[in-house]
Amino acid sequence: MASPVAAQAGKLLRALALRPRFLASGSQAVQLTSRRWLHLQEYQSKKLMSNNGMRVQRFFVADTVNEALEAAKRLNAKEIVLKAQILAGGRGKGIFNSGLKGGVHLTKDPNVVGQPAKQMIGYNLATKQTPKEGVKVNKVMVAEAFDISRETYLPQRGIDIEEVAASNPELIFKEQVDIFEGIKDSQAQQMAENLGFVGPLKSQAADQLTKVYNLFLKIDATQVEVNPFGETPEGQIVCFDAKINFDDNAEFLQKDIFAMDDKSENEPIENEAAKYDLKYIGLDGNIACFVNGARLTMATCDIIFLNGGKPANFLDLGGGVKEVQVYQAFKLLRADPKVEAILVNIFGGIVNCAIIANGIAKACWELELKVPLVVWLEGTNVQETQKILNNSGLPITSAIDLEDAAKKAVASVAKN
């Protein structure tokens, strides 16, 4: 059974598939997956690909209408494509709150680029992958447009790969790659052939496929997606669209890439939480969750839901928690006007429960917490923890297990 809150909190959890491999679908593919945290905008991904020998369209990035107009003229292209830059898919069929339909527009006249750019920049674009109100567009990409005579795909799941697998399994091609040897030319040639490239195009495609794989390893990515990966009437293989994602564990190796992180699409509270290494996602309930570990956080949200309550957030303290993080976490929860109760659920395997208890006591006194607080702590130094909380003089409700904690949190809200 799917988690009741999985649809909202799922962006924080991703399936693990650590062994790299090519996967192709015909419209066709490369699958390289793992946990994902950092997501690059299309223009950032294309810049990385271009810098590593992959063929992409010439482009400029603009954050004002005048810059977009100037970029269109500088391109000196037969046709120009203007693309809104947000992380969500489905931009082409999206709708702006300015009234403009579509986040992707084509024109052969550089002088008219300003009109759609004016209705894109600073406005919200709603697609099937965004919240209902959409996401604000701060930048647009102005790129050279090519005719595409044939398309294939190199995505992670960009073309509903599960649906293709079920309805046309013969269109999916897999190539196992030895991570120590790297992709062999024979493998790249075979993949290019599977994708339907022939003659000189086959060698071009094989070269680009090899560069996709090498880029994936070089930058420690969890996903490199090219959608579409196509050919032009002039006989060129081009990576027309791009998406690259990363696991936070790669940050110490890829500092320049992580410095590109665009946090403008995050909620302000999420950015504030990230300053203290807290993972925070706001939900629509009124019981705040204060938990260590993503899976335990999901379980806590679920058990609140199953006991008739609604979680107000998804807050993961992580493993190496410090007292200052506990304090800041409470500060974030206290600032949320929806929160009517807080449920603390800590399993202290790595975490010293006494650190949590000291942080809770300090936060409650200094922040003058006014909502009910239900606490269940178990694990390392739990006896000392109970003494700290009992001697704090705070109106804390203790629980004997997680279900008891959830019931008490739900009941405390019902009384208010």
Side-chain angles (χ1 to χ4, degrees):
M1 179 181 293
S3 162
V5 294
Q8 299 181 75
K11 63 181 179 179
L12 197 62
L13 295 174
R14 296 293 187 266
L16 288 172
L18 299 177
R19 187 175 181 182
R21 62 181 177 181
F22 272 119
L23 178 148
S25 162
S27 291
Q28 300 136 8
V30 173
Q31 177 168 336
L32 302 161
T33 64
S34 179
R35 269 193 313 149
R36 294 173 292 172
W37 303 92
L38 172 64
H39 306 268
L40 295 183
Q41 298 281 2
E42 177 191 0
Y43 75 90
Q44 296 171 320
S45 295
K46 280 189 170 177
K47 183 178 180 181
L48 280 177
M49 296 170 87
S50 177
N51 290 345
N52 285 274
M54 299 174 65
R55 188 176 295 116
V56 302
Q57 303 128 292
R58 293 183 297 119
F59 70 89
F60 296 102
V61 179
D63 50 23
T64 68
V65 175
N66 287 339
E67 286 181 5
L69 270 171
E70 181 62 27
K73 294 173 183 177
R74 287 170 60 196
L75 277 173
N76 193 28
K78 292 181 179 179
E79 190 169 20
I80 297 160
V81 59
L82 180 70
K83 304 179 78 173
Q85 295 298 285
I86 62 172
L87 294 174
R91 290 171 293 172
K93 296 181 180 180
I95 299 176
F96 285 88
N97 60 353
S98 64
L100 182 67
K101 294 183 178 179
V104 179
H105 286 257
L106 289 164
T107 181
K108 293 183 178 180
D109 183 357
N111 295 302
V112 303
V113 165
Q115 185 55 41
K118 186 177 181 179
Q119 293 180 276
M120 287 184 180
I121 299 172
Y123 290 95
N124 283 18
L125 174 59
T127 78
K128 61 183 180 181
Q129 293 186 10
T130 67
K132 185 177 180 180
E133 67 275 13
V135 173
K136 185 178 179 181
V137 173
N138 296 306
K139 295 181 184 294
V140 294
M141 186 174 73
V142 187
E144 179 179 23
F146 288 145
D147 290 329
I148 305 176
S149 57
R150 196 176 70 87
E151 296 183 2
T152 65
Y153 296 85
L154 305 173
Q156 194 231 355
R157 287 191 178 91
I159 54 164
D160 296 325
I161 200 69
E162 294 89 348
E163 184 178 329
V164 173
S167 58
N168 300 97
E170 74 280 1
L171 297 180
I172 296 178
F173 306 97
K174 300 178 183 179
E175 191 70 40
Q176 297 292 336
V177 179
D178 188 308
I179 194 170
F180 297 106
E181 294 184 9
I183 186 170
K184 300 175 182 176
D185 182 63
S186 59
Q187 291 178 300
Q189 292 284 343
Q190 182 61 55
M191 186 61 68
E193 184 176 315
N194 289 342
L195 295 175
F197 295 105
V198 295
L201 290 176
K202 179 180 173 182
S203 295
Q204 272 196 62
D207 176 65
Q208 292 292 296
L209 287 166
T210 300
K211 287 174 179 175
V212 170
Y213 181 82
N214 290 338
L215 174 66
F216 169 78
L217 291 184
K218 176 182 176 181
I219 62 178
D220 297 294
T222 56
Q223 171 184 312
V224 175
E225 176 181 325
V226 182
N227 182 355
F229 179 68
E231 59 186 76
T232 69
E234 295 76 26
Q236 285 189 317
I237 303 297
V238 180
C239 301
F240 287 96
D241 203 346
K243 182 178 181 181
I244 304 178
N245 296 335
F246 300 83
D247 185 313
D248 277 352
N249 289 322
E251 183 172 4
F252 78 103
L253 293 171
Q254 305 291 343
K255 294 187 182 299
D256 289 344
I257 289 176
F258 275 76
M260 298 162 64
D261 189 7
D262 181 359
K263 295 183 172 66
S264 63
E265 293 186 25
N266 295 349
E267 293 292 333
I269 194 170
E270 293 179 19
N271 290 333
E272 185 65 22
K275 293 179 183 178
Y276 302 97
D277 293 326
L278 302 170
K279 304 298 182 185
Y280 182 98
I281 297 174
L283 303 176
D284 58 4
N286 56 3
I287 300 176
C289 301
F290 181 95
V291 192
N292 67 314
R295 289 174 175 81
L296 189 58
T297 308
M298 286 293 292
T300 305
C301 289
D302 281 346
I303 203 163
I304 289 172
F305 185 91
L306 293 171
N307 279 280
K310 295 185 72 176
N313 66 273
F314 181 106
L315 193 154
D316 172 17
L317 290 173
V321 64
K322 297 179 176 63
E323 191 174 311
V324 65
Q325 291 173 291
V326 178
Y327 181 88
Q328 292 299 331
F330 264 84
K331 192 173 180 180
L332 291 172
L333 299 179
R334 179 181 176 275
D336 186 345
K338 301 192 310 295
V339 171
E340 297 179 22
I342 298 175
L343 192 162
V344 176
N345 176 22
I346 301 295
F347 182 78
I350 300 174
V351 175
N352 185 334
C353 290
I355 292 175
I356 303 292
N358 283 321
I360 290 174
K362 179 180 179 181
C364 289
W365 280 117
E366 294 187 11
L367 300 174
E368 298 182 351
L369 191 68
K370 302 296 184 183
V371 300
L373 176 62
V374 180
V375 177
W376 180 52
L377 297 168
E378 190 62 62
T380 304
N381 217 3
V382 69
Q383 289 81 13
E384 178 64 21
T385 298
Q386 293 298 337
K387 291 180 182 178
I388 294 170
L389 295 179
N390 291 338
N391 296 331
S392 68
L394 295 165
I396 296 172
T397 301
S398 296
I400 59 173
D401 57 30
L402 178 53
E403 181 150 10
D404 182 48
K407 288 179 178 178
K408 288 177 176 177
V410 172
S412 71
V413 170
K415 293 176 183 177
N416 293 341

